[in-house]
């Protein structure tokens, strides 16, 4: 997708997404045979409900039909939330991941798996799980020390609501 088309799409769609209290995370355009696929990824601090994606999809479709931004070719529109394992790239992504286990690729090399406890403007307070019966340790990491970060999927961790019950 050309930068110009991407910018036009973002300018057109961002107000619609923001009006729903959502963040426009990503716009992807790809080919699927003769058709094009337009994928719009949205998120919020509370997550995104399926109904909100469906409603936004209808509004986006109507808005795209009113303009020539997609041209004359057919396309398939998909509006969804980011996957659980998407990369953490923005400050708000780290805030939304508080309490989650994250795999960090460090700028200096190496990797670290730790749970995010707190986020501020400079970096993260982490809890590094203990190995072989050892206690967890606290660690501070600056955003500048992070090359990549991605939430680790945990299948056996109890939800905070379950722990409080």
């Amino acid at each position: 997708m050309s930068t110009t088309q991407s910018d036009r799409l973002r300018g057109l769609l961002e107000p619609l997404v923001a009006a729903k209290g959502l963040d426009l995370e990503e716009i992807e355009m790809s080919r699927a045979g003769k058709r094009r696929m337009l994928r719009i990824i949205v998120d919020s601090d509370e997550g995104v409900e399926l109904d909100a994606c469906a409603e936004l999809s209808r509004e986006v479709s109507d808005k795209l039909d009113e303009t020539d931004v997609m041209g004359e070719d057919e396309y398939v529109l998909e509006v969804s939330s980011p996957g659980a394992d998407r990369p953490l790239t923005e400050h708000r992504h780290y805030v939304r991941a508080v309490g989650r286990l994250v795999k960090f690729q460090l700028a200096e090399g190496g990797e670290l798996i730790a749970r995010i406890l707190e986020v501020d403007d400079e970096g993260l307070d982490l809890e590094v799980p203990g190995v072989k019966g050892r206690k967890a340790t606290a660690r501070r990491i600056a955003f500048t020390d992070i090359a990549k970060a991605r939430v680790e999927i945990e299948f056996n961790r109890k939800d905070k609501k379950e722990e409080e019950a």
Side-chain angles (χ1 to χ4, degrees):
M1 177 166 53
S2 71
T3 304
T4 305
Q5 185 180 29
S6 177
D7 292 342
R8 286 183 64 203
L9 280 167
R10 186 166 287 280
L12 185 69
L13 302 179
E14 210 146 29
L16 283 176
V17 173
K20 298 286 182 197
L22 302 172
D23 296 316
L24 179 57
E25 295 290 348
E26 197 171 339
I27 298 173
E28 299 173 353
M29 180 76 79
S30 60
R31 282 250 172 237
K34 292 181 180 181
R35 293 186 181 180
R36 294 174 296 164
M37 168 72 84
L38 175 61
R39 180 174 291 125
I40 298 167
I41 310 295
V42 296
D43 202 3
S44 79
D45 290 345
E46 295 79 34
V48 182
E49 300 274 329
L50 184 60
D51 290 343
C53 283
E55 184 179 329
L56 182 59
S57 179
R58 286 188 291 274
E59 290 182 24
V60 166
S61 179
D62 291 345
K63 184 60 105 176
L64 292 174
D65 289 346
E66 293 172 8
T67 69
D68 66 344
V69 72
M70 291 301 292
E72 297 297 316
D73 293 341
E74 291 184 19
Y75 65 92
V76 175
L77 173 64
E78 178 183 304
V79 176
S80 66
S81 61
D85 65 342
R86 67 111 179 254
L88 305 178
T89 57
E90 302 283 337
H91 186 272
R92 67 178 177 265
H93 298 164
Y94 290 97
V95 171
R96 292 173 185 160
V98 168
R100 308 282 306 270
L101 197 63
V102 175
K103 183 176 187 177
F104 298 94
Q105 297 293 326
L106 303 175
E108 67 207 22
E111 65 182 38
L112 169 69
I113 296 178
R115 190 168 310 282
I116 298 177
L117 300 177
E118 281 190 47
V119 179
D120 60 33
D121 291 339
E122 287 80 41
L124 313 168
D125 290 326
L126 307 173
E127 178 184 73
V128 181
V131 181
K132 297 182 181 177
R134 293 186 179 155
K135 288 186 177 184
T137 56
R139 180 165 176 184
R140 173 85 181 161
I141 187 169
F143 287 118
T144 56
D145 295 334
I146 301 169
K148 293 181 183 177
R150 187 178 301 270
V151 170
E152 291 283 281
I153 307 298
E154 295 181 90
F155 294 105
N156 59 353
R157 182 161 191 255
K158 289 185 178 179
D159 190 320
K160 285 182 185 178
K161 292 175 185 171
E162 291 177 31
E163 291 173 3
E164 293 171 359

